[in-house]
PDB file of all heavy atoms in Angstrom:
ATOM      1  N   THR Q 922     -29.320  18.485  19.661  1.00  0.00           N
ATOM      2  CA  THR Q 922     -28.182  17.641  20.011  1.00  0.00           C
ATOM      3  C   THR Q 922     -27.353  17.325  18.768  1.00  0.00           C
ATOM      4  O   THR Q 922     -26.114  17.387  18.814  1.00  0.00           O
ATOM      5  CB  THR Q 922     -28.665  16.336  20.676  1.00  0.00           C
ATOM      6  OG1 THR Q 922     -29.433  16.678  21.824  1.00  0.00           O
ATOM      7  CG2 THR Q 922     -27.504  15.464  21.091  1.00  0.00           C
ATOM      8  N   ALA Q 923     -28.014  17.007  17.665  1.00  0.00           N
ATOM      9  CA  ALA Q 923     -27.283  16.702  16.430  1.00  0.00           C
ATOM     10  C   ALA Q 923     -26.459  17.901  15.980  1.00  0.00           C
ATOM     11  O   ALA Q 923     -25.299  17.743  15.575  1.00  0.00           O
ATOM     12  CB  ALA Q 923     -28.260  16.275  15.339  1.00  0.00           C
ATOM     13  N   ALA Q 924     -27.029  19.093  16.063  1.00  0.00           N
ATOM     14  CA  ALA Q 924     -26.291  20.300  15.664  1.00  0.00           C
ATOM     15  C   ALA Q 924     -25.045  20.480  16.530  1.00  0.00           C
ATOM     16  O   ALA Q 924     -23.944  20.738  16.020  1.00  0.00           O
ATOM     17  CB  ALA Q 924     -27.188  21.527  15.754  1.00  0.00           C
ATOM     18  N   GLY Q 925     -25.213  20.320  17.838  1.00  0.00           N
ATOM     19  CA  GLY Q 925     -24.075  20.468  18.743  1.00  0.00           C
ATOM     20  C   GLY Q 925     -23.001  19.428  18.504  1.00  0.00           C
ATOM     21  O   GLY Q 925     -21.796  19.733  18.510  1.00  0.00           O
ATOM     22  N   VAL Q 926     -23.423  18.195  18.261  1.00  0.00           N
ATOM     23  CA  VAL Q 926     -22.478  17.102  18.033  1.00  0.00           C
ATOM     24  C   VAL Q 926     -21.735  17.301  16.710  1.00  0.00           C
ATOM     25  O   VAL Q 926     -20.524  17.084  16.625  1.00  0.00           O
ATOM     26  CB  VAL Q 926     -23.227  15.745  18.064  1.00  0.00           C
ATOM     27  CG1 VAL Q 926     -22.401  14.630  17.487  1.00  0.00           C
ATOM     28  CG2 VAL Q 926     -23.636  15.411  19.486  1.00  0.00           C
ATOM     29  N   ILE Q 927     -22.448  17.716  15.685  1.00  0.00           N
ATOM     30  CA  ILE Q 927     -21.806  17.942  14.385  1.00  0.00           C
ATOM     31  C   ILE Q 927     -20.769  19.055  14.490  1.00  0.00           C
ATOM     32  O   ILE Q 927     -19.658  18.936  13.955  1.00  0.00           O
ATOM     33  CB  ILE Q 927     -22.865  18.257  13.305  1.00  0.00           C
ATOM     34  CG1 ILE Q 927     -23.668  16.994  12.994  1.00  0.00           C
ATOM     35  CG2 ILE Q 927     -22.223  18.823  12.045  1.00  0.00           C
ATOM     36  CD1 ILE Q 927     -24.908  17.237  12.156  1.00  0.00           C
ATOM     37  N   ILE Q 928     -21.102  20.110  15.206  1.00  0.00           N
ATOM     38  CA  ILE Q 928     -20.143  21.210  15.372  1.00  0.00           C
ATOM     39  C   ILE Q 928     -18.895  20.716  16.097  1.00  0.00           C
ATOM     40  O   ILE Q 928     -17.766  21.001  15.690  1.00  0.00           O
ATOM     41  CB  ILE Q 928     -20.790  22.403  16.107  1.00  0.00           C
ATOM     42  CG1 ILE Q 928     -21.851  23.035  15.204  1.00  0.00           C
ATOM     43  CG2 ILE Q 928     -19.743  23.433  16.521  1.00  0.00           C
ATOM     44  CD1 ILE Q 928     -22.748  24.025  15.906  1.00  0.00           C
ATOM     45  N   TRP Q 929     -19.077  19.941  17.174  1.00  0.00           N
ATOM     46  CA  TRP Q 929     -17.914  19.421  17.892  1.00  0.00           C
ATOM     47  C   TRP Q 929     -17.114  18.461  17.015  1.00  0.00           C
ATOM     48  O   TRP Q 929     -15.874  18.464  17.042  1.00  0.00           O
ATOM     49  CB  TRP Q 929     -18.312  18.741  19.200  1.00  0.00           C
ATOM     50  CG  TRP Q 929     -18.052  19.627  20.372  1.00  0.00           C
ATOM     51  CD1 TRP Q 929     -18.973  20.152  21.218  1.00  0.00           C
ATOM     52  CD2 TRP Q 929     -16.783  20.111  20.819  1.00  0.00           C
ATOM     53  NE1 TRP Q 929     -18.355  20.945  22.155  1.00  0.00           N
ATOM     54  CE2 TRP Q 929     -17.013  20.925  21.942  1.00  0.00           C
ATOM     55  CE3 TRP Q 929     -15.484  19.957  20.385  1.00  0.00           C
ATOM     56  CZ2 TRP Q 929     -15.988  21.571  22.630  1.00  0.00           C
ATOM     57  CZ3 TRP Q 929     -14.456  20.600  21.084  1.00  0.00           C
ATOM     58  CH2 TRP Q 929     -14.728  21.385  22.185  1.00  0.00           C
ATOM     59  N   ALA Q 930     -17.789  17.630  16.235  1.00  0.00           N
ATOM     60  CA  ALA Q 930     -17.071  16.709  15.352  1.00  0.00           C
ATOM     61  C   ALA Q 930     -16.224  17.472  14.334  1.00  0.00           C
ATOM     62  O   ALA Q 930     -15.104  17.062  14.016  1.00  0.00           O
ATOM     63  CB  ALA Q 930     -18.062  15.783  14.644  1.00  0.00           C
ATOM     64  N   LEU Q 931     -16.750  18.592  13.849  1.00  0.00           N
ATOM     65  CA  LEU Q 931     -15.992  19.408  12.902  1.00  0.00           C
ATOM     66  C   LEU Q 931     -14.845  20.166  13.575  1.00  0.00           C
ATOM     67  O   LEU Q 931     -13.807  20.424  12.949  1.00  0.00           O
ATOM     68  CB  LEU Q 931     -16.927  20.392  12.186  1.00  0.00           C
ATOM     69  CG  LEU Q 931     -17.967  19.745  11.266  1.00  0.00           C
ATOM     70  CD1 LEU Q 931     -18.954  20.792  10.772  1.00  0.00           C
ATOM     71  CD2 LEU Q 931     -17.296  19.027  10.110  1.00  0.00           C
ATOM     72  N   LEU Q 932     -15.026  20.546  14.840  1.00  0.00           N
ATOM     73  CA  LEU Q 932     -13.986  21.289  15.555  1.00  0.00           C
ATOM     74  C   LEU Q 932     -12.893  20.377  16.137  1.00  0.00           C
ATOM     75  O   LEU Q 932     -11.779  20.847  16.421  1.00  0.00           O
ATOM     76  CB  LEU Q 932     -14.609  22.106  16.688  1.00  0.00           C
ATOM     77  CG  LEU Q 932     -15.435  23.308  16.265  1.00  0.00           C
ATOM     78  CD1 LEU Q 932     -16.121  23.937  17.478  1.00  0.00           C
ATOM     79  CD2 LEU Q 932     -14.564  24.330  15.556  1.00  0.00           C
ATOM     80  N   THR Q 933     -13.198  19.110  16.330  1.00  0.00           N
ATOM     81  CA  THR Q 933     -12.244  18.194  16.963  1.00  0.00           C
ATOM     82  C   THR Q 933     -10.904  18.126  16.229  1.00  0.00           C
ATOM     83  O   THR Q 933      -9.851  18.187  16.888  1.00  0.00           O
ATOM     84  CB  THR Q 933     -12.867  16.797  17.131  1.00  0.00           C
ATOM     85  OG1 THR Q 933     -13.994  16.912  18.006  1.00  0.00           O
ATOM     86  CG2 THR Q 933     -11.888  15.810  17.727  1.00  0.00           C
ATOM     87  N   PRO Q 934     -10.851  18.014  14.886  1.00  0.00           N
ATOM     88  CA  PRO Q 934      -9.532  18.005  14.236  1.00  0.00           C
ATOM     89  C   PRO Q 934      -8.729  19.276  14.506  1.00  0.00           C
ATOM     90  O   PRO Q 934      -7.507  19.217  14.655  1.00  0.00           O
ATOM     91  CB  PRO Q 934      -9.866  17.880  12.741  1.00  0.00           C
ATOM     92  CG  PRO Q 934     -11.202  17.218  12.716  1.00  0.00           C
ATOM     93  CD  PRO Q 934     -11.932  17.741  13.925  1.00  0.00           C
ATOM     94  N   PHE Q 935      -9.409  20.420  14.600  1.00  0.00           N
ATOM     95  CA  PHE Q 935      -8.727  21.676  14.941  1.00  0.00           C
ATOM     96  C   PHE Q 935      -8.110  21.578  16.340  1.00  0.00           C
ATOM     97  O   PHE Q 935      -6.953  21.957  16.543  1.00  0.00           O
ATOM     98  CB  PHE Q 935      -9.706  22.845  14.859  1.00  0.00           C
ATOM     99  CG  PHE Q 935      -9.184  24.109  15.483  1.00  0.00           C
ATOM    100  CD1 PHE Q 935      -8.234  24.879  14.840  1.00  0.00           C
ATOM    101  CD2 PHE Q 935      -9.629  24.514  16.727  1.00  0.00           C
ATOM    102  CE1 PHE Q 935      -7.731  26.039  15.427  1.00  0.00           C
ATOM    103  CE2 PHE Q 935      -9.148  25.672  17.322  1.00  0.00           C
ATOM    104  CZ  PHE Q 935      -8.191  26.436  16.666  1.00  0.00           C
TER     105      PHE Q 935
END
Side-chain angles (χ1 to χ4, degrees):
T922 302
V926 165
I927 289 169
I928 292 168
W929 258 115
L931 294 172
L932 289 174
T933 297
F935 167 76

